[in-house]
Amino acid sequence: MDKLAIQGGARLQGEIRISGAKNAALPILCAGLLTADTLRLENLPKLKDISTSLTLLGHIGMQVSLDDKNGVDLQAAHLHTLEAPYDLVKTMRASILVLGPMLARYGEARVSLPGGCAIGSRPVDLHIKGLQAMGAEIHIEHGYIHAKVTRLQGARIFMDTVTVTGTENLMMAATLANGITVLENAAREPEVTDLAHCLIAMGAQIEGVGSDTITITGVESLHGATHAIMADRIETGTYLVAAAMTQGRVKLLGTRADTLDAVLEKLREAGAQIDVEADSISLSMQGRPRAVSVKTAPYPAFPTDMQAQFMAMNCIADGVSRVTETIFENRFMHVQEMQRLGASIEIEGNTALVRGVEQLDGAVVMATDLRASASLVLAALVAEGETVIERIYHIDRGYECIEEKFSQLGARIRRVH
Ligand code: EPZ
């Protein structure tokens, strides 16, 4: 298995380009199932999760043609199976996003239950309840969700927990339902908004985009469109934290600040100087970051996908901070790995108390989930000596060319096969 070897101590300088957002691309790829026409996507990130998703969609029968400029043409005129098999779904939970579109377009779907993952049980009960409210008959047997319906009916659906992919699944399903669907307590994440913009370009009728109440008026069919995937705000935040930790000066191109208010606010509180232009963000940090407490919550509050990265910064910051995780029940897997690097962290329930230390020490550590792995890279960039991170397949799922981009900024990082 590949590893990353990192020599700490380099201040990050220079500029890199941010890739398309994984968590916008994944639902938008599945939206291709909603039409017989061609859906053309641009700014697609080159990630393991994207290729997994394209493999699954190809297995179902979607024609996929990738070009060499991060573009892809999708066409789902004739599918040859309505089943998303376990061996593909188990590698990527977001495969559940084929359920809503398949049900809406074909009236049937068999999708393997995604199962849990490192950060929590991650049920899909709200996806299922919403589709049942729209008239789908759903049985769960032998680890598969088997759903059937003549035609989905519009419904008023209240989701008692804010769910990003739940909102996305139901919004896609509702675009072809008979009548009006209202999603209440919907997720407001920018990736949900990006999906809505793509669906509207395909002819969907959606009101309330970006709010917690989304109203979809079903139409008979959707047509093809061209859509550019939004920039990845979590990749952006990850590199900004890396620049702050290493007291560097970086400029991130092809990204937007208006999806990262909570993160930029916290970075300024830590002492970073941040300048924003239409499609770039610059950060410079003089001196050691100040400790900043964060508490994760649904958008527009502080994102759970940036929790581990801020914990890494707090490990070497000046002061004591509290990091509270309210979305997932087990998203502190990076703590024990950071303790191996010399961090001083105490966990009390869903809050970690972090006492900043002057210096971390390089060690061999293990990646456990995507964002935890990224936070170990950040810690390694400032640790004394060499750090080796094992099981970095987690990182490749969500960060395009991570060692090239960090090397471009002056980090001493290499992949060890
Ligand atoms: C999405 O996951 C993201 N993944 C996650 O990013 C992100 O951490 C998460 O949203 C929260 O922002 C994609 O978009 C592909 P949820 P998702 O449904 O949709 C509970 C990354 O690192 N819940 O919003 O699976 C659930 O247990 C990944 O890129 C139910 O109870 O998350 C959790 O506690 C990690 N029942 C909370 O809601 C349901 O039916 C939020 O989960 C669905 C969710």
Side-chain angles (χ1 to χ4, degrees):
M1 280 197 254
D2 283 4
K3 301 174 182 174
L4 281 178
I6 298 164
Q7 286 291 343
R11 287 173 192 256
L12 299 188
Q13 311 266 350
E15 55 185 55
I16 55 167
R17 178 158 294 280
I18 295 296
S19 303
K22 168 177 84 77
N23 289 351
L26 291 173
I28 290 172
L29 286 169
C30 298
L33 293 168
L34 290 166
T35 177
D37 290 357
T38 299
L39 176 61
R40 173 160 181 74
L41 303 177
E42 290 162 358
N43 197 33
L44 201 65
K46 286 189 183 60
L47 297 169
K48 184 81 183 76
D49 272 10
I50 298 302
S51 47
T52 302
S53 189
L54 290 171
T55 303
L56 171 61
L57 291 166
H59 168 86
I60 292 172
M62 182 187 273
Q63 303 299 317
V64 174
S65 47
L66 282 155
D67 66 24
D68 56 0
K69 293 185 298 301
N70 301 342
V72 67
D73 287 336
L74 306 170
Q75 207 213 17
H78 309 289
L79 300 191
H80 38 254
T81 173
L82 295 176
E83 176 164 310
Y86 174 68
D87 61 340
L88 284 172
V89 174
K90 74 180 177 214
T91 63
M92 190 188 63
R93 303 178 32 73
S95 310
I96 190 75
L97 286 163
V98 301
L99 179 60
M102 280 168 84
L103 205 45
R105 173 104 182 281
Y106 298 97
E108 184 170 4
R110 270 177 59 80
V111 179
S112 165
L113 272 168
C117 81
I119 62 178
S121 63
R122 309 211 36 205
V124 289
D125 57 307
L126 297 175
H127 300 237
I128 290 168
K129 267 170 60 182
L131 293 170
Q132 286 171 327
M134 296 171 77
E137 223 182 282
I138 298 186
H139 304 287
I140 295 184
E141 56 212 0
H142 313 303
Y144 276 79
I145 301 166
H146 189 194
K148 284 189 84 157
V149 70
T150 314
R151 186 181 180 190
L152 290 170
Q153 299 299 318
R156 173 177 290 277
I157 300 167
F158 176 78
M159 293 170 281
D160 57 14
T161 307
V162 174
T163 161
V164 172
T165 49
T167 301
E168 291 165 344
N169 233 339
L170 297 175
M171 182 163 67
M172 288 192 282
T175 58
L176 296 177
N178 178 27
I180 295 175
T181 299
V182 180
L183 302 179
E184 295 189 348
N185 198 28
R188 298 171 53 192
E189 271 67 7
E191 293 75 21
V192 178
T193 296
D194 203 39
L195 169 64
H197 289 157
C198 178
L199 292 170
I200 289 166
M202 294 166 70
Q205 291 180 23
I206 305 176
E207 304 289 329
V209 175
S211 81
D212 62 1
T213 304
I214 301 177
T215 304
I216 306 105
T217 304
V219 294
E220 288 310 306
S221 67
L222 294 183
H223 50 72
T226 296
H227 180 80
I229 305 291
M230 68 176 273
D232 195 314
R233 65 191 171 104
I234 305 300
E235 184 193 22
T236 302
T238 303
Y239 283 100
L240 289 174
V241 171
M245 289 174 70
T246 58
Q247 302 180 35
R249 171 191 289 277
V250 303
K251 181 170 189 177
L252 306 181
L253 306 172
T255 189
R256 291 170 21 195
D258 62 355
T259 58
L260 274 172
D261 289 345
V263 170
L264 298 184
E265 182 59 38
K266 284 293 172 185
L267 283 166
R268 289 191 174 102
E269 201 181 302
Q273 165 72 36
I274 293 174
D275 298 304
V276 165
E277 292 172 62
D279 67 348
S280 71
I281 303 176
S282 301
L283 181 145
S284 68
M285 173 70 101
Q286 270 80 30
R288 191 177 169 196
R290 287 193 289 271
V292 287
S293 290
V294 297
K295 179 174 183 181
T296 67
Y299 192 85
F302 187 88
T304 176
D305 290 350
M306 285 299 302
Q307 179 256 104
Q309 296 91 317
F310 269 74
M311 189 176 296
M313 184 167 75
N314 280 327
C315 284
I316 49 98
D318 180 10
V320 178
S321 56
R322 302 173 75 80
V323 176
T324 302
E325 172 59 56
T326 71
I327 304 289
F328 292 112
E329 62 269 31
N330 185 32
R331 206 169 194 176
F332 283 150
M333 309 275 280
H334 39 287
V335 169
Q336 67 258 36
E337 298 306 311
M338 288 180 183
Q339 286 164 336
R340 287 180 50 71
L341 297 172
S344 169
I345 307 172
E346 277 166 59
I347 294 180
E348 300 149 6
N350 69 343
T351 295
L353 192 73
V354 187
R355 288 181 178 76
V357 296
E358 290 275 345
Q359 180 73 54
L360 295 175
D361 288 331
V364 177
V365 289
M366 188 175 76
T368 50
D369 62 273
L370 171 54
R371 306 305 172 181
S373 320
S375 70
L376 293 176
V377 173
L378 302 188
L381 291 172
V382 297
E384 181 76 35
E386 179 174 81
T387 296
V388 174
I389 303 173
E390 299 182 335
R391 302 192 184 181
I392 59 161
Y393 58 85
H394 293 289
I395 293 185
D396 295 333
R397 294 187 49 180
Y399 287 90
E400 182 175 341
C401 306
I402 191 163
E403 70 267 31
E404 285 87 345
K405 291 193 182 184
F406 270 122
S407 300
Q408 243 177 284
L409 294 173
R412 292 189 291 265
I413 179 172
R414 62 192 167 81
R415 185 176 290 254
V416 178
H417 299 290

